[in-house]
Amino acid sequence: MDEDKTTRVMVRNITDLARLAGVSPGTVSRALAGKSLVNTKTREKIEALAREHGFRPNQMASGLRRQKTGVIGVVIPLGHDSRQQISDSFFMTLLGHLADELTREGYDLMLRRVVPEDDADWLDRFIGSGMIDGVIVIGQSDQFDRIEDVADGYGPMVVWGNHTEGQRHCVVGTDNRLGGRLAAERLIAAGATRLAFLGDTTAMEFAARFAGAQDIAARMGLPPIITLPTHLSPDRASEEIAQHLAARASQIDGIFAATDTLAALCLTELRACGIAVPGDMKLAGFDDLPIARQTVPPLTTVRQDIAAGARGLVDLLLRRLAGEKTESLVLPPQLVVRATA
Amino acid sequence: MDEDKTTRVMVRNITDLARLAGVSPGTVSRALAGKSLVNTKTREKIEALAREHGFRPNQMASGLRRQKTGVIGVVIPLGHDSRQQISDSFFMTLLGHLADELTREGYDLMLRRVVPEDDADWLDRFIGSGMIDGVIVIGQSDQFDRIEDVADGYGPMVVWGNHTEGQRHCVVGTDNRLGGRLAAERLIAAGATRLAFLGDTTAMEFAARFAGAQDIAARMGLPPIITLPTHLSPDRASEEIAQHLAARASQIDGIFAATDTLAALCLTELRACGIAVPGDMKLAGFDDLPIARQTVPPLTTVRQDIAAGARGLVDLLLRRLAGEKTESLVLPPQLVVRATA
DNA sequence: ACGCAATTTGCAAACGATTGCAAGATTCCT
DNA sequence: AGGAATCTTGCAATCGTTTGCAAATTGCGT
């Protein structure tokens, strides 16, 4: 009955709880925040009451007063190639790791997908919303310039993407160019001499991978690598790959795919065309997603360390939140030789 | 110069802007909110100033005052099998679609992964934070009871998962039991008579799929389906599958995998054992993820309509936010016959 | 020119938590 | 016991926006 009476009272805010505990709101606030200024006994009493009534301080109010929200924004700009990009395995895995890392550091994660062409100031909007303490941008897409602009006036931002000499925003990413070199070297070592790059080279990361491969082709005195542009969504890509193969398969004996996902699709199409891998055609991918182990034959690829990437992003962001000025972080790719090259 | 002078002023809040515009904060608020109560000319002037200074009202403050945040929480409870579940293709694809749908409805998405066993009141914490207007729970994991408890006192919650007769929380999900029936029927039609279920049946969805398959086996007078429990993370699963096959392969001629991901791994292991699919062993998966088309041979599976699921989740949640009491939504699965059964 | 209705605006009190400052209560030392 | 030093607490302002109410302005008809 006594419990009944107390439980019946609705505790909506710190003031209600203060009344119950017979103290002032300020004391409750301090107690719940675990500050040392409050007497152990009162603190315990307050904590007990809070638990009993399932009360938790309102984060919005707290955020407003403290001018920090405990939330990090994660934004994925979708290029022209909007669709599917977010369900792309790579980004999703990265997102998963980010969620882990941020949680571990006590932050929440607010996810936003944006289509920059429909919404020019997507980045300022997010930052200016007052809802987030900092922002992680996943993928530069074709928004390099806008990101640069914002970086000048806003500190707590870190971007996953490609590092370009002299850029002003803090970026974390794999050394794509080096990765491209590794892939090309492997294809050539496996016997290929006429290479093609499968993927859309207008995306910065992909362009760098292509450039790396081209470095090697040139150094080896091989003919320039031809490009076979595709979209990223599986349905369109399959079709486009089939067309590319129909038109070009006879002119090449090695394919460097921008992504494992593309490589896997390509493998399927090659099989459909009756082209043997690695016999008639060498193939290399990029990312080392789980699927790379499961294709038949398993895929030779270039690994990106996604977990390290996520850790880097969060670590740099926290340092920037603390006011530090941080350099970009470029991670080394690693060649993983399996059976396709 | 005149522009210089104005641009130099930092506009941090609605009051600053009001001063610039020569009106009161209230008017600025109304103007920016697009209310009809404010004169068209003043509104335009205010909007112009806001644009010029890149000012946006603080969402925290607005949320506090209006008692709604415009944010929907999406929480993924990770079972004992913590790892990897979030990068599971299925959940990630669902998450992508959710992000789309919520954005379209003008909501932001706050993502939280939780490990219920480390943190008993994960759900109340999220709800009580004051940061979200409603919550979508992705997967019941082993938290059915806790979710039921919460559902009694909190309206705006919708859960992705399995529907159980008489449950009190609003759920959206595929009819797993029916899906299980479809898969078993197909395996049997393809010639299998001694079936196994690959996956952890303590997860509710999986248990229902298993039960469905068992329905059919019983009806057909076949021996009971044996279960081959596994974890979900690819590394552990591979190993476990290999062990299962070593021990049991000779006793069975058909496998119903709880997930396409597991089916694909299983296919790889079968190949390693030299067991022909579908010759010596029929195989069916569940989900119809992109990978199902890319395995060799391509996978027979049961499709879940993920996009429809996401739409359902958001639609029901919005209705509940509006105060409606909604029923659960059970989506029909669809058999997709490819080459493994 | 006057009165009444319809528009626009301003005022000030919320929303719920935090925190500098000062007052009140304890402790401790002599 | 007296007084200084240390702990605890309460007070009240503050974060930035929204909104009910009332005041001020405008428009309109006569």
Side-chain angles (χ1 to χ4, degrees):
Chain A
M1 26 201 67
D2 205 38
E3 310 113 283
D4 272 358
K5 214 160 54 197
T6 56
T7 348
R8 191 167 311 142
V9 186
M10 254 304 219
V11 180
R12 334 200 119 283
N13 53 37
I14 230 173
T15 313
D16 289 352
L17 194 61
R19 198 173 306 124
L20 278 184
V23 296
S24 80
T27 305
V28 172
S29 171
R30 287 186 266 252
L32 262 28
K35 304 232 177 179
S36 56
L37 300 88
V38 33
N39 182 304
T40 316
K41 254 173 50 188
T42 30
R43 182 218 302 307
E44 277 163 4
K45 177 178 179 187
I46 290 172
E47 281 171 344
L49 278 172
R51 216 171 313 116
E52 180 183 338
H53 292 273
F55 171 78
R56 303 166 203 296
N58 182 307
Q59 302 239 80
M60 285 265 156
S62 163
L64 177 59
R65 171 64 227 242
R66 310 209 337 263
Q67 295 292 81
K68 49 192 312 230
T69 64
V71 180
I72 298 297
V74 172
V75 56
I76 307 189
L78 304 175
H80 21 65
D81 198 355
S82 321
R83 208 69 217 164
Q84 191 63 15
Q85 200 149 327
I86 202 187
S87 37
D88 179 277
S89 268
F90 179 80
F91 284 129
M92 286 294 101
T93 310
L94 184 57
L95 181 61
H97 285 279
L98 280 177
D100 276 349
E101 292 295 324
L102 287 173
T103 305
R104 223 162 45 73
E105 301 286 353
Y107 281 96
D108 266 312
L109 184 164
M110 188 149 134
L111 180 64
R112 202 179 265 201
R113 312 175 61 175
V114 298
V115 182
E117 29 189 44
D118 298 357
D119 175 14
D121 59 4
W122 55 278
L123 191 45
D124 311 77
R125 270 250 296 278
F126 203 17
I127 291 171
S129 72
M131 291 272 282
I132 58 179
D133 291 341
V135 64
I136 292 175
V137 181
I138 303 193
Q140 291 147 323
S141 183
D142 48 4
Q143 300 290 304
F144 189 88
D145 295 334
R146 176 156 297 275
I147 296 173
E148 283 284 274
D149 287 351
V150 169
D152 295 333
Y154 182 73
M157 172 174 76
V158 182
V159 179
W160 173 269
N162 198 65
H163 182 74
T164 306
E165 198 57 47
Q167 71 177 59
R168 305 188 305 278
H169 66 265
C170 178
V171 75
V172 174
T174 303
D175 187 336
N176 288 294
R177 187 147 190 166
L178 175 54
R181 289 202 201 103
L182 296 174
E185 280 171 356
R186 178 64 206 171
L187 287 168
I188 294 166
T193 55
R194 291 158 302 156
L195 301 182
F197 179 83
L198 182 68
D200 173 15
T201 49
T202 61
M204 299 200 57
E205 289 99 322
F206 294 175
R209 291 171 198 176
F210 171 70
Q214 187 56 50
D215 289 347
I216 299 297
R219 184 196 299 163
M220 298 293 219
L222 299 180
I225 298 178
I226 65 177
T227 60
L228 310 174
T230 67
H231 289 82
L232 263 86
S233 72
D235 352 341
R236 302 182 67 174
S238 284
E239 201 178 313
E240 291 164 341
I241 293 171
Q243 288 167 9
H244 284 313
L245 289 179
R248 306 301 202 83
S250 59
Q251 308 159 31
I252 57 177
D253 56 7
I255 298 178
F256 173 26
T259 282
D260 283 351
T261 310
L262 286 176
L265 291 169
C266 186
L267 205 47
T268 307
E269 295 303 326
L270 284 165
R271 171 180 309 270
C273 299
I275 299 173
V277 178
D280 302 333
M281 184 77 77
K282 320 296 176 209
L283 176 64
F286 206 104
D287 286 346
D288 195 29
L289 300 176
I291 195 181
R293 292 194 234 188
Q294 294 185 54
T295 57
V296 187
L299 198 60
T300 290
T301 188
V302 177
R303 171 178 303 163
Q304 302 201 67
D305 189 340
I306 305 184
R311 248 177 289 125
L313 285 166
V314 172
D315 178 51
L316 288 181
L317 185 62
L318 293 185
R319 305 244 294 270
R320 296 192 138 243
L321 275 172
E324 214 175 303
K325 281 286 163 253
T326 63
E327 290 302 314
S328 289
L329 173 63
V330 177
L331 301 165
Q334 190 194 343
L335 182 68
V336 178
V337 177
R338 295 207 178 89
T340 57
Chain B
M1 24 205 71
D2 204 36
E3 311 112 282
D4 272 357
K5 217 162 48 196
T6 54
T7 349
R8 191 170 309 143
V9 187
M10 254 303 217
V11 179
R12 334 199 119 284
N13 54 36
I14 231 173
T15 313
D16 289 352
L17 195 61
R19 198 172 308 125
L20 278 183
V23 296
S24 81
T27 304
V28 172
S29 172
R30 286 185 267 250
L32 261 30
K35 305 232 178 180
S36 56
L37 299 88
V38 36
N39 183 303
T40 316
K41 252 173 54 189
T42 32
R43 184 218 302 307
E44 277 164 4
K45 179 183 185 180
I46 291 171
E47 281 171 343
L49 278 171
R51 215 170 312 118
E52 180 183 340
H53 289 67
F55 171 78
R56 302 168 203 296
N58 181 308
Q59 301 240 79
M60 284 266 156
S62 162
L64 177 58
R65 172 63 227 242
R66 308 210 335 263
Q67 296 292 81
K68 50 192 309 227
T69 64
V71 180
I72 299 297
V74 173
V75 56
I76 307 189
L78 305 173
H80 20 69
D81 197 356
S82 320
R83 207 70 217 159
Q84 191 61 17
Q85 202 148 328
I86 200 187
S87 35
D88 179 277
S89 270
F90 179 79
F91 285 129
M92 285 294 104
T93 311
L94 184 56
L95 181 61
H97 285 279
L98 280 177
D100 277 348
E101 292 295 326
L102 287 173
T103 305
R104 222 163 45 74
E105 300 286 353
Y107 280 95
D108 266 311
L109 184 165
M110 190 149 132
L111 179 65
R112 201 180 266 200
R113 313 175 60 174
V114 299
V115 182
E117 30 188 44
D118 297 357
D119 175 14
D121 58 4
W122 54 279
L123 191 45
D124 311 79
R125 271 250 298 278
F126 203 18
I127 290 171
S129 71
M131 293 271 282
I132 59 179
D133 291 341
V135 65
I136 291 175
V137 181
I138 302 193
Q140 291 147 323
S141 183
D142 48 4
Q143 298 292 304
F144 189 89
D145 295 334
R146 176 155 297 276
I147 296 173
E148 283 283 276
D149 288 350
V150 169
D152 295 332
Y154 182 74
M157 172 174 75
V158 181
V159 179
W160 172 267
N162 198 64
H163 182 73
T164 306
E165 200 56 48
Q167 70 175 58
R168 303 189 304 280
H169 66 265
C170 178
V171 75
V172 173
T174 302
D175 186 337
N176 288 295
R177 187 146 189 165
L178 174 54
R181 290 203 200 104
L182 295 175
E185 279 172 354
R186 176 66 206 170
L187 287 167
I188 294 167
T193 56
R194 292 160 300 156
L195 301 181
F197 179 82
L198 182 68
D200 173 15
T201 50
T202 62
M204 300 201 56
E205 289 99 321
F206 295 175
R209 292 170 198 177
F210 171 70
Q214 186 57 50
D215 290 346
I216 298 296
R219 183 195 300 164
M220 298 293 219
L222 299 181
I225 299 178
I226 66 177
T227 60
L228 310 174
T230 66
H231 290 84
L232 264 86
S233 73
D235 352 342
R236 303 182 68 175
S238 284
E239 203 179 312
E240 291 164 341
I241 293 171
Q243 288 167 9
H244 285 312
L245 289 179
R248 305 301 201 85
S250 58
Q251 307 160 31
I252 58 177
D253 56 8
I255 299 177
F256 172 26
T259 282
D260 283 350
T261 310
L262 285 176
L265 291 169
C266 185
L267 205 47
T268 307
E269 294 303 326
L270 284 166
R271 172 180 307 270
C273 299
I275 299 174
V277 178
D280 302 334
M281 184 77 77
K282 320 295 176 211
L283 177 64
F286 206 104
D287 286 347
D288 194 30
L289 300 177
I291 196 181
R293 291 195 235 187
Q294 293 184 55
T295 56
V296 187
L299 197 59
T300 290
T301 189
V302 177
R303 171 177 303 163
Q304 301 202 66
D305 189 340
I306 305 183
R311 247 176 291 127
L313 286 167
V314 172
D315 178 51
L316 288 181
L317 185 62
L318 294 185
R319 306 244 293 269
R320 299 194 134 240
L321 238 19
E324 215 174 304
K325 280 287 163 250
T326 63
E327 291 301 315
S328 289
L329 173 63
V330 177
L331 301 166
Q334 189 194 344
L335 181 68
V336 178
V337 177
R338 295 207 178 87
T340 58

